[in-house]
Structure formats: C-alpha cells, structure tokens
Amino acid sequence: MAQAPQLPIVQLAQPRIVVLGAGFAGLQVVRSLRHVKAEILLVDRHSYHTFVPLLYQVATAILPPQAIAYPIIEALRGHKNTQFLVTEIREINFTAQQVDTENGSIPYDYLVIATGSQSEFFQVPGAQDYGFPLRNLQHALRFHQHFLQTIERIQREANPQPLEIAIVGGGATGVELAGSLAELGRRPPPWLGGVRVQIYLIQGGASLLPDFAPRLRQYTLKRLQQLGVTVLLNHRVVQVSETRLELMNGCVIETSTVLWAAGVRAALPLMSPPAQTVGRKKLPVDPTLQWQGAENVYVIGDSAWLKQTRGLAPEALQQGRKVAENLQRQLQGKAPKPFHYFNKGRMAIIEAKSAIAEIGPIKLTGWFPWLLWLIIHWFYLPGAWPRGVVLVSWWQTYGRGRRFLSQRLFFHPRD
Ligand SMILES: Cc1cc2nc3c(=O)[nH]c(=O)nc-3n(C[C@H](O)[C@H](O)[C@H](O)COP(=O)(O)OP(=O)(O)OC[C@H]3O[C@@H](n4cnc5c(N)ncnc54)[C@H](O)[C@@H]3O)c2cc1C
C-alpha cells in the first residue's frame, strides 16, 4: 500500500504536540499551551468548535446554528505556536508515532486524543437509519429541517393528525428536547398552523435523569407531564422504522420522527496496534490522564475512561487544563501530576423558567436554576459574537415566545 504523504507543516525544531479534536477538551489544551515553546497542531474535521450543550436549542429552533459554531481560527487568534488543520483523522499509528489523516500523515512527539463521543444505538434495528441522533451541528439541522417539513406536510393534509415525536432516552438531552418541543404546545407559534405536537419520552430505566437526586427527578417528571409529554418509564425500544417505533411490550408509536438520545460511546479513530477499550468503548487512562502504557499519549474528554467521570463539558475543560500543565512539566523534565475533578454541580433545563440544579448538598428547582443555567451556559460560550446572538435569541424565545426559523432557507433540488 502507498504511504500517506506527510503534510507540509512548518518545522520549528521544537517538540511537536498534536491535539486531535477541537471540542471542549482539545481546544482547552491548545489555549492553555498558548505561551509554551512547542509546535502545536490542532486537528478537527470541522472548521468550527461546537458548543454541544446548546445543540438541542438549534434542533428546536431556539437558536440559529451560528450561535453555537465558533470558527476555530478565531478561537486561536494570536496563538503564534499553533497551527490548525481541518481534516478527517483516520488512524493513529503508535509505533511510528504518527497520525494518518485524509490529507496525509502527521508525526508527533506528544499526542492528545480528544475526539469526543458519538451516539450508541445498542444494535436496535432501524435506530441508526431512521432515528435522529444529536451529537453535532449537522444532526441538529437535519432534525430541524425534518421537523419543519413534517409540519408543512401535515398542514397540507385534508384531515390533519397530530405530529407525534418519540424521544428515546430520559437523560438530560432527552428531557431538554422534550421540554423544548412540548413548550410549543403551550404557546403555539403561528407557523405551527394549528398542528398539535404530541411528545413521547421513552426511558429504559425506572426514572428520568438517574444521575440526579430523587426529588429533582420527580420534579422533572411532573413538569414534563404538566407540559403534556407522555413519559414512558421502564420501556425499551426494540425496532425503529421509517413510520413507526416499536416497544418491547408490543406497543407501537406511529411516527417518522424519532429523536435518539439514548446513549453514547467514544468516537475514536482506528489505532495501530489496536488499543483495548473499556466502558462505552473509551480508552482507559492513568490518573495523570496518560494513556495506559504510553508516556507521550494523553486521552481526555469523552474519549477517556477515568473513575468517577461521567462525560461532561466541565470535566473535558478541566482535563484539558491539566494535560496542558502536564505537557509543560514533561517538557521541563518533570513528572506529570494526577488529575482531580472539581465538581461544581449539575443542572438540567426543562422548559422556560423551569430547571433543576444539584450543587453539593443544595438542590434547586424552578426559575432560579433556570436563570443560573442560562447565565452559566452564556458565560462559557467561546466568543463575543455567539454571546450576542444567543442573548437576542433567548430574549425572543423566552421573552416573546418566538422561535428562530431562518433554517427554513433550505435549497430546492432545482436550485
Ligand atoms: C446533546 C448534548 C448535550 C449535552 N449537554 C451537556 C450539558 O448541558 N452540560 C455538560 O456539561 N455536558 C453536556 N454534554 C456533554 C459534553 O458536550 C461533552 O462531555 C463534551 O463535549 C466533551 O468534550 P470533548 O472535547 O471530549 O468532545 P467534543 O466536544 O465532542 O469534541 C470532539 C471533537 O473531535 C472532533 N472529531 C471527532 N472525531 C474526529 C475525526 N475522526 N476526525 C476529525 N475530527 C474528529 C469532532 O469534530 C469534535 O470537534 C452534552 C452532550 C450532548 C451530545
């Protein structure tokens, strides 16, 4: 087989740190290494950083897509030691110390794997083909387009039926999607044209949001039911097709709109020699975040398996900072230090003016954690432009009951 060409990367005669993935973890590593004497190369398939926690708001037309997609070259403005490559990572060759990409291969001295996660369909027949996952911006836009087109189709019917939406997975994403879509029923916007939206939220376990305290779970269940969401607990999906979803107990929901928020697994490129993975196909790491057995390879964020981490943005950010610190220590001939996660708490939004939060022993429900959720997410947005867009959009949605429909500018096949 012909060898992949080496990419023409400027040689600085300094150690080369290659960071795979410009998500929360990867971008944080690069930002924290800004003043370090090393040649840093960040690689991602997208030219923008996605603010994943707000994906559901793009899918449900609260936010326009540009609010959560921040150009990486903007994020790296003034970083003299960093280059950014937009390309698909294909394989990591640990023996040759190089990363093979769609556009050639990149040798490394130090490697940081931060390629995040992808949806897990648990081999449910049809789930991958007919379900709408929500892991990236394309997914959010695809669902959004399908949602609007389905409404338009129903409006043209002589005898319009309600639009049935099945959301599979009762974690934070499933709850947020259910609340946001069900809210449309409470304040129906004119573009719904009288179409009724019926939401089913299907959870395999005995409660929604199993990571939260029982009181917060009950509050969430009650709020969703008040919004008209049909919550099905202890129900497993066994098949999804173009027009229906089938449950283990034989019940069927007639729908072409199935949102899949049921599980995730690490999104790792091929590895040579193949690496052993653990829970959710993640790479196990040492407390220092080094990949087990390799001094110069770190794994962080949703790709890494470390005790007591759950796959959240703050974990990815804190791990990114720790890896940057450890890389600097290694460059100075010092030993890396272990990572300790500082848990600031967890939150989930249900609908306008209703959320839950668990901050140590403090448990909050209602409008205050909702406001806190908005402020925290707004604060963590990666730049002034997205912050401005998000602020205006939230004022429109939460203040005036409007949704952002510019995604309606779809291209006609004849264009
Ligand atoms: C819908 C949703 C809602 C969430 N809500 C919250 C929340 O409210 N609060 C919270 O704390 N956490 C939330 N999370 C979890 C949080 O987003 C993740 O824990 C966090 O994004 C992990 O960061 P990461 O850097 O590991 O991965 P990511 O941020 O996913 O970044 C991975 C990057 O790697 C790139 N990549 C992957 N494979 C390749 C390849 N082969 N070639 C090139 N590039 C590649 C991707 O393009 C991406 O940019 C949510 C997740 C989802 C999906």
Side-chain angles (χ1 to χ4, degrees):
M1 211 171 83
Q3 271 219 317
Q6 293 235 333
L7 284 165
I9 301 155
V10 185
Q11 292 289 336
L12 298 176
Q14 283 176 341
R16 178 182 291 161
I17 302 170
V18 175
V19 180
L20 306 181
F24 282 91
L27 195 57
Q28 184 59 57
V29 175
V30 171
R31 282 181 153 172
S32 303
L33 287 173
R34 183 177 182 156
H35 300 296
V36 170
K37 280 195 178 151
E39 179 193 349
I40 298 162
L41 189 65
L42 179 63
V43 188
D44 201 292
R45 61 163 70 102
H46 301 122
S47 60
Y48 52 85
H49 166 80
T50 309
F51 195 82
V52 182
L54 293 180
L55 268 181
Y56 90 93
Q57 298 211 343
V58 173
T60 60
I62 293 176
L63 292 177
Q66 62 269 32
I68 65 160
Y70 192 62
I72 290 164
I73 46 168
E74 277 297 320
L76 298 180
R77 195 189 277 238
H79 284 237
K80 294 203 171 72
N81 61 355
T82 309
Q83 293 177 69
F84 172 55
L85 271 180
V86 184
T87 186
E88 180 71 24
I89 303 152
R90 289 220 168 117
E91 185 167 358
I92 304 168
N93 187 327
F94 294 112
T95 318
Q97 294 212 160
Q98 71 177 35
V99 177
D100 294 332
T101 74
E102 221 168 48
N103 297 93
S105 61
I106 309 162
Y108 65 83
D109 297 306
Y110 294 91
L111 181 68
V112 182
I113 303 173
T115 43
S117 55
Q118 58 189 326
S119 293
E120 171 63 272
F121 295 95
F122 305 107
Q123 296 179 333
V124 172
Q128 191 162 1
D129 297 328
Y130 301 108
F132 288 89
L134 194 65
R135 302 298 309 166
N136 59 43
L137 200 57
Q138 282 79 2
H139 292 157
L141 292 173
R142 213 177 298 146
F143 170 74
H144 182 87
Q145 178 170 1
H146 169 87
F147 177 61
L148 294 181
Q149 286 175 343
T150 309
I151 287 169
E152 283 164 6
R153 181 178 53 70
I154 293 174
Q155 284 168 351
R156 287 195 299 270
E157 284 170 3
N159 199 1
Q161 298 296 309
L163 164 57
E164 302 208 321
I165 301 177
I167 301 166
V168 185
T173 303
V175 165
E176 287 165 356
L177 282 166
S180 177
L181 289 167
E183 260 187 316
L184 290 171
R186 175 168 286 183
R187 293 168 88 176
W191 50 268
L192 265 186
V195 174
R196 219 165 56 76
V197 181
Q198 173 63 50
I199 317 284
Y200 296 90
L201 180 58
I202 303 158
Q203 165 74 325
S207 73
L208 299 174
L209 302 173
D211 292 343
F212 284 82
R215 186 166 75 79
L216 302 183
R217 295 185 221 157
Q218 278 150 21
Y219 173 84
T220 305
L221 177 65
K222 205 169 126 208
R223 292 298 306 168
L224 286 177
Q225 285 171 336
Q226 282 167 350
L227 272 173
V229 177
T230 305
V231 181
L232 303 173
L233 300 175
N234 291 313
H235 279 69
R236 287 195 177 272
V237 177
V238 290
Q239 180 140 21
V240 182
S241 76
E242 205 175 346
T243 53
R244 50 194 251 148
L245 173 143
E246 204 179 313
L247 299 171
M248 196 176 241
N249 63 0
C251 285
V252 164
I253 300 170
E254 303 285 348
T255 179
S256 63
T257 309
V258 176
L259 272 157
W260 194 265
V264 293
R265 64 183 165 101
L268 293 167
L270 288 173
M271 281 176 263
S272 164
Q276 262 213 322
T277 56
V278 288
R280 297 183 180 185
K281 307 246 164 46
K282 295 180 174 203
L283 287 174
V285 291
D286 293 331
T288 53
L289 301 172
Q290 283 161 303
W291 178 45
Q292 290 182 343
E295 284 263 298
N296 61 341
V297 180
Y298 288 87
V299 192
I300 48 173
D302 285 3
S303 310
W305 188 89
L306 187 69
K307 237 180 173 177
Q308 283 163 357
T309 53
R310 310 206 59 80
L312 292 168
E315 291 168 6
L317 290 170
Q318 291 180 31
Q319 289 178 357
R321 278 192 282 273
K322 178 51 83 176
V323 162
E325 184 194 322
N326 279 346
L327 282 165
Q328 288 181 68
R329 290 182 64 84
Q330 281 189 298
L331 293 175
Q332 294 160 1
K334 296 180 190 162
K337 284 186 163 178
F339 168 73
H340 299 287
Y341 177 51
F342 176 54
N343 187 352
K344 295 178 195 158
R346 285 207 65 185
M347 317 182 84
I349 191 166
I350 304 166
E351 54 160 332
K353 304 192 183 78
S354 178
I356 57 169
E358 197 168 352
I359 306 158
I362 304 165
K363 296 174 184 53
L364 304 166
T365 57
W367 70 267
F368 180 63
W370 170 77
L371 192 64
L372 216 55
W373 189 99
L374 295 188
I375 292 169
I376 289 170
H377 282 76
W378 184 82
F379 177 78
Y380 276 101
L381 282 163
W385 166 255
R387 281 189 187 147
V389 177
V390 166
L391 212 57
V392 173
S393 308
W394 281 349
W395 167 61
Q396 287 287 320
T397 303
Y398 296 125
R400 309 183 67 196
R402 291 192 178 165
R403 296 276 169 131
F404 195 90
L405 294 180
S406 76
Q407 289 102 304
R408 282 194 140 190
L409 308 171
F410 305 125
F411 295 108
H412 190 275
R414 287 209 195 138
D415 285 345

